[in-house]
């Protein structure tokens, strides 16, 4: 593939949380072009079945491929848990074996062994991600000696999307989720934020999490993993255009998307295009 045919790196999420992953990636790799797609009209994905999440994610990845992306990151824990493997094994060989789709669960699972001393790890996430058991399976495959427990925190995403992440009203639900996690295993000393919305709750999480417990957002580790991947696969790196541009697609109203996106990115964003996925 020539440089003229290179395309942006696709970043897909069911909603807005993947913007925290985009932010982490752009901080480390600002030189590349990015195309963010939020399926906001059909979010949240968490409560949906495996089949529905797979079909919606498949549509989104296919759309990003049609827009010229050679590499797509599923910046959504639910999509990574419920759709990634099927897309990699079933769809990519039919679409284009040279393109790649990567998830965000494995990068955090790979490093968690270095971030815990007690060897007891906690995960807070949506109910869909916890029930999928994806983090536990991935971590125990890579680090067989680790003890892993998960806690669903269903109110945390609505708090973020309603702009209540820093309000006193969030205290009860954040404390409740942390307490329930630590009641399962008081020896936990590292907690993965297994939902891309949760970094916006970090001030509250730090307030109620014991000081010795390390809190692990995903964005930094996903970015490091992507940088490593591109360095190990120069043929893919050459297919990623590098003009430092970011564009945005949404299945919702562009004005609404822009307003919400600015909460997650803490900065104004440019043009937003509304699309329909089929």
């Amino acid at each position: 593939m020539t440089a003229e045919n290179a395309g942006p790196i696709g970043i897909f999420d069911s909603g807005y949380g993947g913007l925290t992953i985009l932010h982490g990636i752009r901080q480390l790799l600002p030189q590349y072009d990015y195309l963010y797609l939020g399926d906001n009209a059909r979010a949240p994905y968490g409560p949906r079945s495996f089949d529905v999440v797979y079909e919606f994610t498949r549509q989104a990845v296919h759309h990003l491929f049609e827009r010229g992306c050679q590499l797509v990151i599923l910046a959504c824990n639910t999509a990574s848990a419920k759709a990634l493997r099927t897309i990699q094994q079933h769809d990519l060989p039919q679409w284009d074996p040279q393109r790649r789709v990567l998830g965000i669960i494995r990068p955090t699972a790979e490093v968690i062994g270095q971030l815990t001393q007690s060897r007891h790890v906690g995960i807070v996430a949506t109910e869909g991600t916890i029930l999928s058991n994806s983090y536990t399976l991935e971590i125990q495959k890579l680090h067989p000696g680790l003890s892993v427990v998960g806690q669903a925190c269903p109110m945390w995403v609505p708090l973020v999307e309603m702009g209540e992440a820093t309000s006193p009203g969030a205290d009860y639900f954040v404390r409740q989720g942390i307490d329930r996690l630590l009641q399962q295993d008081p020896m936990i000393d590292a907690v993965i934020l297994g939902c891309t919305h949760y970094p916006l709750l970090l001030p509250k999480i730090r307030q109620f999490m014991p000081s010795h417990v390390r809190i692990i957002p995903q964005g930094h580790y996903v970015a490091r993993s992507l940088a490593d991947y591109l360095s190990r696969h120069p043929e893919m790196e050459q297919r990623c255009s590098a003009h430092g541009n970011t564009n945005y697609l949404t299945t919702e109203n562009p004005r609404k998307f822009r307003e919400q996106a600015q909460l997650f990115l803490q900065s104004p964003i440019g043009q937003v295009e509304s699309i329909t996925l089929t």
Side-chain angles (χ1 to χ4, degrees):
M1 168 163 295
T2 64
E4 291 77 20
N5 293 326
I9 296 172
I11 310 285
F12 169 67
D13 185 26
S14 59
Y16 300 101
L19 293 165
T20 64
I21 301 295
L22 172 65
H23 177 68
I25 291 173
R26 285 198 308 187
Q27 281 190 310
L28 187 63
L29 301 167
Q31 68 272 32
Y32 295 107
D33 297 327
Y34 299 97
L35 181 58
Y36 183 90
L37 168 53
D39 189 11
N40 308 89
R42 302 190 294 195
Y45 279 15
R48 295 185 182 274
S49 69
F50 272 74
D51 288 345
V52 170
V53 171
Y54 161 66
E55 182 55 34
F56 286 179
T57 305
R58 181 183 178 278
Q59 292 170 5
V61 171
H62 189 260
H63 188 91
L64 288 168
F65 282 172
E66 288 187 324
R67 294 281 185 133
C69 298
Q70 304 296 311
L71 171 65
V72 172
I73 310 294
L74 301 186
C76 173
N77 286 281
T78 303
S80 294
K82 295 183 176 182
L84 175 63
R85 189 177 300 273
T86 306
I87 288 173
Q88 288 175 331
Q89 295 178 350
H90 179 264
D91 297 299
L92 273 183
Q94 298 179 33
W95 289 340
D96 184 346
Q98 302 305 311
R99 302 201 196 196
R100 292 291 179 268
V101 182
L102 306 176
I104 59 171
I105 291 175
R106 187 177 179 88
T108 320
E110 286 176 340
V111 300
I112 190 63
Q114 307 162 26
L115 304 177
T116 172
Q117 293 184 329
S118 71
R119 315 294 285 169
H120 289 251
V121 175
I123 301 151
V124 286
T126 64
E127 187 174 10
T129 298
I130 295 298
L131 290 176
S132 75
N133 223 26
S134 296
Y135 270 100
T136 302
L137 293 171
E138 197 70 35
I139 290 171
Q140 291 181 338
K141 183 168 65 179
L142 296 166
H143 311 283
L146 260 59
S147 172
V148 186
V149 296
Q151 176 62 48
C153 301
M155 287 302 297
W156 288 18
V157 167
L159 285 169
V160 170
E161 295 202 342
M162 293 171 65
E164 298 292 326
T166 59
S167 74
D171 291 7
Y172 172 81
F173 294 105
V174 173
R175 182 192 284 131
Q176 180 189 64
I178 292 169
D179 288 349
R180 287 178 175 175
L181 177 71
L182 296 178
Q183 283 166 9
Q184 293 187 66
D185 185 352
M187 292 182 64
I188 288 169
D189 72 347
V191 174
I192 295 171
L193 303 187
C195 172
T196 53
H197 282 67
Y198 293 0
L200 275 75
L201 288 163
L202 265 172
K204 295 289 186 188
I205 295 171
R206 289 196 176 106
Q207 181 180 343
F208 297 112
M209 191 76 74
S211 58
H212 71 279
V213 177
R214 185 166 189 165
I215 303 165
I216 304 163
Q218 296 172 286
H220 171 70
Y221 298 102
V222 172
R224 276 187 10 186
S225 179
L226 177 59
D228 177 64
Y229 179 86
L230 292 174
S231 71
R232 289 185 291 106
H233 296 87
E235 76 286 353
M236 179 55 73
E237 196 278 335
Q238 292 170 7
R239 297 176 183 176
C240 299
S241 57
H243 305 101
N245 298 321
T246 304
N247 292 300
Y248 301 89
L249 306 172
T250 178
T251 55
E252 245 281 6
N253 178 278
R255 182 173 57 80
K256 180 181 177 183
F257 178 89
R258 185 179 294 106
E259 290 172 357
Q260 284 286 106
Q262 288 172 181
L263 285 175
F264 284 82
L265 294 174
Q266 300 296 306
S267 63
I269 69 169
Q271 183 177 354
V272 181
E273 179 185 345
S274 180
I275 63 164
T276 301
L277 292 176
T278 55

